[in-house]
Amino acid sequence: MPTGPDEFDLIRRHFDWAMRRPGVVLGVGDDAALIEPPPGTQTVISTDMLIAGRHFPADTPPDAIAHKALAVNLSDLAAMGATPLAFTLALGLPAVDTDWLSSFSTSLREVAGRWGCDLVGGDTVRAPCLTISITAIGTLPVGEAIRRGGARVGDCLGVTGTIGDAALGLRLALGDGEVPPGLTQADRSHLLRRLERPQPRLAVGQALRDRAHAGLDVSDGLLQDLGHLLGASGLAAELDLDALPLSAAARRWLVERPGDIDRVINGGDDYELLLALPASLALDPAWGLTVIGHVESGPPGHIRERGGRTLPGERGYDHFRERQT
Ligand SMILES: [Mg+2]
């Protein structure tokens, strides 16, 4: 079915919300947007692309896709300590389905409002499969960004939330392997929700941006991302797997299938923050962090489990590697 210009005008109307926050001078409707960040701030920009069947199951509901597409970008802003301001959306659609678009745009508008960013532009094209690329724009005070390099020997490694829920949720969504029979319906709902609706840790990132020594968001798997932080900082770490923050659902899963700890630490899609910071900050209950290890001197990127075993630090989820195997 050919898609004419009128259909794309219709699509675009789903995304002209006419919201204007301070800092957004001109949004959707002109050749380009105009942004005026507050004085004394730097602009933070991050892009992520999601493809149906690769980054989420093709039958994922449109409201969940919209949530995740924006949340994963805002998680990168959170990791830098930024405050969201605006985003652009590039949408590749295999067909024009107005019900799908309506649900997608309603959800996108809701989450954008919740996290304080305007849609300021984008493009829509016909594509072989559903493809969503969002570029998120945020601001932070000059010089206060949390970067990957900068961890110091003796720093605590603190992580927000819980780790591994999304990786286990993906197994549920794909019917990939055996699911522990002891898992309750509430456990299943929790794990799927964590997969489909990550919550960017914006408040923690903003609160600790001038105090954490280094940090990033866990998107590719805890071990791989910890390896990235350590590599950028030129240091090593001791990791205490017994200290990993796990949800009740993940704990019940691992009681029956302890081997799936491998999925928990390598699976990715957590969108929690991993920070290297002094113990006084890491242990402050205000931030809700769990200390999972310490930075130490050693070969850059080297991770050893508490007790001596060396962990593979580069085994996280890799879309291209997965395609090759
Ligand atoms: Mg990231």
Side-chain angles (χ1 to χ4, degrees):
M1 181 182 71
T3 302
D6 291 349
E7 285 180 293
F8 281 115
D9 285 344
L10 177 74
I11 294 166
R12 290 186 187 105
R13 282 202 290 276
H14 280 283
F15 298 105
D16 189 1
W17 306 332
M19 294 189 302
R20 297 292 179 268
R21 286 171 199 281
V24 177
V25 180
L26 189 62
V28 172
D30 215 303
D31 291 302
L34 285 174
I35 302 284
E36 190 167 314
T41 65
Q42 290 175 315
T43 302
V44 184
I45 300 170
S46 173
T47 298
D48 258 309
M49 181 178 253
L50 300 180
I51 296 173
R54 172 87 47 91
H55 300 98
F56 55 87
D59 60 352
T60 303
D63 56 323
I65 296 172
H67 179 115
K68 187 159 186 174
L70 186 54
V72 301
N73 277 277
L74 296 184
S75 180
D76 279 326
L77 296 191
M80 304 295 286
T83 302
L85 174 61
F87 69 101
T88 63
L89 168 70
L91 200 53
L93 295 169
V96 176
D97 177 338
T98 52
D99 288 343
W100 189 96
L101 275 168
S102 177
S103 176
F104 180 87
S105 69
T106 300
S107 173
L108 194 65
R109 184 173 186 166
E110 191 271 319
V111 293
R114 188 190 313 163
W115 290 318
C117 51
D118 284 356
L119 176 63
V120 296
D123 197 10
T124 311
V125 297
R126 178 176 282 278
C129 66
L130 176 61
T131 308
I132 303 154
S133 179
I134 284 179
T135 295
I137 302 161
T139 62
L140 49 72
V142 172
E144 291 192 1
I146 303 169
R147 299 174 62 171
R148 296 178 175 196
R152 303 176 192 174
V153 172
D155 275 349
C156 288
L157 292 166
V159 67
T160 59
T162 57
I163 294 295
D165 293 326
L168 300 177
L170 184 62
R171 296 199 73 181
L172 287 176
L174 297 178
D176 171 23
E178 289 175 33
V179 173
L183 219 57
T184 67
Q185 194 54 45
D187 290 339
R188 290 169 176 262
S189 298
H190 171 81
L191 296 175
L192 287 171
R193 187 166 182 82
R194 292 275 289 152
L195 172 69
E196 292 181 350
R197 296 178 189 271
Q199 304 292 319
R201 301 300 185 183
L202 290 159
V204 175
Q206 289 163 26
L208 297 178
R209 64 187 166 204
D210 57 345
R211 295 190 271 179
H213 294 153
L216 42 59
D217 67 323
V218 181
S219 55
D220 296 332
L222 178 69
L223 284 191
Q224 180 164 314
D225 284 318
L226 175 56
H228 292 154
L229 184 150
L230 295 169
S233 297
L235 291 168
E238 178 192 63
L239 182 65
D240 182 1
L241 285 184
D242 293 334
L244 273 192
L246 299 173
S247 68
R251 285 184 192 281
R252 272 191 280 278
W253 184 303
L254 290 174
V255 164
E256 294 185 48
R257 297 187 63 86
D260 281 347
I261 186 68
D262 190 57
R263 302 244 177 187
V264 166
I265 58 176
N266 290 299
D269 261 3
D270 296 293
Y271 301 105
E272 298 294 347
L273 299 188
L274 172 63
L275 299 161
L277 68 184
S280 57
L281 271 181
L283 299 172
D284 184 337
W287 315 125
L289 299 173
T290 303
V291 175
I292 59 169
H294 293 86
V295 179
E296 59 187 21
S297 57
H302 183 91
I303 303 166
R304 65 180 181 85
E305 188 182 348
R306 191 172 180 182
R309 191 160 64 95
T310 296
L311 290 163
E314 296 291 339
R315 282 199 302 155
Y317 188 72
D318 182 321
H319 302 295
F320 294 100
R321 193 160 59 202
E322 182 182 72
R323 191 175 56 184
Q324 288 161 4
T325 54

